[in-house]
Amino acid sequence: MSDLDTHRAALAPLLVKHAKAGILNLIDGQSLPARSGATFATHSPVDDSFIADVARSDAADIDAAAKAAKKAFPAWAALGGEARKKLLHKIADLIVERADEIALCECWDTGQAYKFMSKAALRGADNFRFFADMAPAARDGQSLPTPTHMNVTSRAPMGPVGVITPWNTPFMLSTWKIAPALAAGCTVVHKPAEFSPLTARLLAEICHEAGLPAGVLNLVNGMGEDAGRSLTEHPDIKAIAFVGETKTGSAIMKQGADTLKRVHFELGGKNPVVVFDDADLDRALDAAIFMIYSLNGERCTSSSRLLVQKSIAANFQAKLIERVNKIKVGHPLDPKTEVGPLIHKTHLDKVMSYFDVAKAEGATIAAGGARHGEQGCFVQPTLFTNATRGMAIAQEEIFGPVLTVIPFEDEAEALSIANDVAYGLAGYLWTNDITRALRFSNAMEAGMIWVNSENVRHLPTPFGGVKASGIGRDGGHWSFDFYMEQKNIAIALGTHKITQLGMG
Ligand code: NAD
């Protein structure tokens, strides 16, 4: 039996279970259909086969979930950090136990390759462990004394919060948002993307099984424009942590205005990888390829623009073309597959529409540039060369396995091209000149910069973007700053003179 067949066989009973049960909400500890009874079908991007009917929730379901989260909040917030730590570690243990089930479901539901999803499931467990360990110190503050007052700061959880997630690596991203919220003492209503509901359901089940009290994590499935919108407008929900498209972030900001929602946005990117001629070019090549073609290019931090110095461009490009042509596109459950199908047909059409755009703009399609096969949402890994900075392929987030190469003359030109986009999430820089690396990194408009490296996350560091790529930061205490309120208590020492009024 091949590895692919083994994975298929392991997935089959899981799919039967999901098809039979449907993907239900989890509200106040209860698995429930949408109150209206409405459902929508979810299909696999591998072959368009039916997976399950999913609860199509609306404002009434969101209201029930928000009320459950509100009811559960005082006890959850009052529970000590040590107790929350224990529970969150238990969740991580159960994720590890079910990591293969999560990976298989994620592959089938999203088209992401098993090669990466098996690691992403474990990353989800790491996210829980990391924030579990931070839970006991979540409320800690500072002592800021003056000669007249003792100032004591502390943090308190905000209340019930909403988490809205996208379809790319949805399990890992959900844990990245939900784990710190729970560790901080907030209760959560999670609205996952309509295109990838399977693993959100698994996460809710796992949390429930680990002993998370009813109402602490609620799952409400549905469409962005009804369930998502209602969550952002609900008066009991104090904050919205959102990961998704820039234009959706903008809509959420408007929707949340009347209830003064605190928002945290992780949005789109058009991230540059800048390769200077003094770099370790073999490592730069590996990293540039990994950062755009892994995860099907459906990755916010993908290096979708390659800025390469003219003196090495021809050679670097030739090697790139050779490698891109060898990337293995295939069934996501095959462990050898490097690129699987895109999330759905509309997205496939969007990605492929850029092939015509590129040609019309005068760029060259140096590799790929067509659909892969007849069935499913597969596309060839694609490389555009002879591009210039103003082209749509150099400006817009394509969100697929598509790389645009733009040559540059010198540092000044590279910086100007790197910053000449609406986005500012990540930047990658390849040079062995340390002074240039520092100078360039300081000037690059991005929230995160990796020098001589692909994206390697260290969880205590801040994650997030500038410009149209987001508002706020995740990671370490930055996550707690979002999910918690700061309070200062000033205690007078009884020594200062109070200004007296009404003394005549
Ligand atoms: P999307 O914005 O279409 O959807 C994301 C979520 O928002 C879904 O759950 C959707 O149902 C919901 N939604 C849609 N309209 C809504 C509304 N009006 N009110 C409330 N909720 C609404 O994004 P997507 O297509 O699922 O994901 C891809 C995008 O996510 C890309 O742009 C990508 O760059 C971005 N992303 C960013 C990061 C980051 O860290 N910056 C990480 C992953 C993905």
Side-chain angles (χ1 to χ4, degrees):
M1 216 182 193
S2 70
D3 288 335
L4 170 58
D5 290 338
T6 309
H7 284 159
R8 272 198 175 119
L11 179 66
L14 302 173
L15 291 179
V16 171
K17 187 185 93 181
H18 287 300
K20 204 166 150 207
I23 306 293
L24 299 175
N25 296 333
L26 191 88
I27 298 175
D28 209 8
Q30 306 259 308
S31 284
L32 298 167
R35 295 192 162 205
S36 67
T39 59
F40 63 95
T42 185
H43 294 89
S44 173
V46 178
D47 56 6
D48 201 32
S49 61
F50 170 80
I51 301 178
D53 285 319
V54 187
R56 187 180 186 131
S57 314
D58 59 22
D61 306 287
I62 289 289
D63 187 50
K67 289 204 166 103
K70 188 180 179 184
K71 188 178 76 182
F73 174 68
W76 181 245
L79 196 70
E82 286 295 338
R84 283 204 296 273
K85 172 180 172 178
K86 226 169 134 189
L87 257 167
L88 265 55
H89 271 294
K90 177 84 180 134
I91 293 170
D93 292 343
L94 294 180
I95 291 175
V96 172
E97 255 176 47
R98 292 174 72 175
D100 214 43
E101 176 186 355
I102 294 165
L104 294 171
C105 288
E106 197 86 305
C107 295
W108 192 246
D109 205 13
T110 67
Q112 291 290 342
Y114 182 83
K115 186 185 186 70
F116 304 114
M117 287 311 96
S118 50
K119 293 187 190 117
L122 295 173
R123 257 288 300 281
D126 287 346
N127 288 339
F128 267 95
R129 290 204 197 290
F130 174 77
F131 286 108
D133 289 338
M134 285 185 67
R139 291 177 174 216
D140 288 2
Q142 299 180 55
S143 163
L144 300 166
T146 70
T148 58
H149 291 78
M150 287 301 297
N151 287 281
V152 182
T153 77
S154 63
R155 287 190 296 207
M158 271 206 99
V161 298
V163 171
I164 302 179
T165 47
W167 45 257
N168 64 312
T169 54
F171 183 80
M172 199 284 291
L173 277 175
S174 304
T175 62
W176 178 236
K177 295 285 168 186
I178 292 171
L182 297 180
C186 293
T187 52
V188 175
V189 178
H190 179 205
K191 207 302 276 171
E194 49 272 47
F195 300 108
S196 57
L198 250 64
T199 56
R201 173 69 206 179
L202 294 181
L203 180 62
E205 281 175 15
I206 285 172
C207 291
H208 191 61
E209 201 185 319
L212 208 63
V216 172
L217 172 65
N218 303 277
L219 169 71
V220 183
N221 289 284
M223 302 296 158
E225 57 273 20
D226 42 42
R229 169 185 270 275
S230 305
L231 183 56
T232 61
E233 291 174 344
H234 201 287
D236 290 338
I237 297 295
K238 302 296 171 205
I240 295 288
F242 168 74
V243 187
E245 277 191 44
T246 300
K247 67 174 183 338
T248 314
S250 169
I252 288 176
M253 205 172 225
K254 293 185 192 113
Q255 293 161 199
D258 283 348
T259 49
L260 292 175
K261 285 283 179 299
R262 180 183 288 185
V263 292
H264 185 298
F265 290 161
E266 288 181 21
L267 310 174
K270 189 73 182 175
N271 313 298
V273 49
V274 183
V275 182
F276 284 97
D277 60 7
D278 67 331
D280 181 333
L281 297 180
D282 290 338
R283 285 173 68 79
L285 185 70
D286 286 343
I289 293 170
F290 175 73
M291 280 313 305
I292 181 65
Y293 297 107
S294 62
L295 303 180
N296 300 347
E298 295 166 316
R299 177 184 205 157
C300 56
T301 52
S302 72
S303 56
S304 48
R305 291 183 294 151
L306 169 64
L307 278 47
V308 59
Q309 197 152 21
K310 279 186 182 155
S311 47
I312 52 158
N315 196 15
F316 199 81
Q317 224 166 260
K319 287 186 181 160
L320 193 56
I321 293 168
E322 204 185 316
R323 290 275 293 275
V324 174
N325 281 325
K326 282 196 214 153
I327 290 175
K328 195 173 177 321
V329 182
H331 198 291
L333 293 177
D334 184 341
K336 289 191 220 72
T337 290
E338 294 171 324
V339 169
L342 303 183
I343 184 75
H344 52 63
K345 180 70 171 53
T346 310
H347 188 55
L348 173 71
D349 291 344
K350 177 196 152 183
V351 170
M352 292 206 309
S353 72
Y354 282 96
F355 303 157
D356 289 336
V357 170
K359 278 185 254 172
E361 285 183 322
T364 305
I365 299 182
R371 191 171 175 182
H372 174 97
E374 310 266 287
Q375 198 193 29
C377 302
F378 296 86
V379 66
Q380 294 173 353
T382 297
L383 184 70
F384 298 137
T385 56
N386 292 322
T388 52
R389 64 163 86 191
M391 293 179 176
I393 54 168
Q395 291 288 326
E396 295 170 18
E397 186 184 45
I398 300 174
F399 220 54
V402 179
L403 177 61
T404 300
V405 184
I406 311 169
F408 67 85
E409 197 73 55
D410 55 20
E411 188 181 321
E413 193 190 7
L415 183 65
S416 149
I417 299 172
N419 288 344
D420 191 13
V421 287
Y423 298 103
L425 186 58
Y428 304 88
L429 179 59
W430 288 85
T431 176
N432 276 326
D433 177 340
I434 181 70
T435 314
R436 171 159 65 193
L438 282 171
R439 191 170 53 229
F440 202 93
S441 303
N442 271 330
M444 217 190 307
E445 293 167 357
M448 297 167 289
I449 290 162
W450 279 271
V451 178
N452 296 333
S453 175
E454 79 284 36
N455 168 346
V456 177
R457 282 286 295 132
H458 179 46
L459 300 186
T461 61
F463 182 100
V466 301
K467 294 159 77 177
S469 288
I471 296 176
R473 294 293 179 271
D474 277 321
H477 286 280
W478 282 276
S479 297
F480 284 170
D481 283 343
F482 176 69
Y483 290 117
M484 302 184 85
E485 293 283 16
Q486 290 278 355
K487 182 177 282 181
N488 184 58
I489 303 174
I491 307 156
L493 303 178
T495 54
H496 71 289
K497 184 165 170 25
I498 300 176
T499 305
Q500 293 174 323
L501 301 182
M503 299 293 284

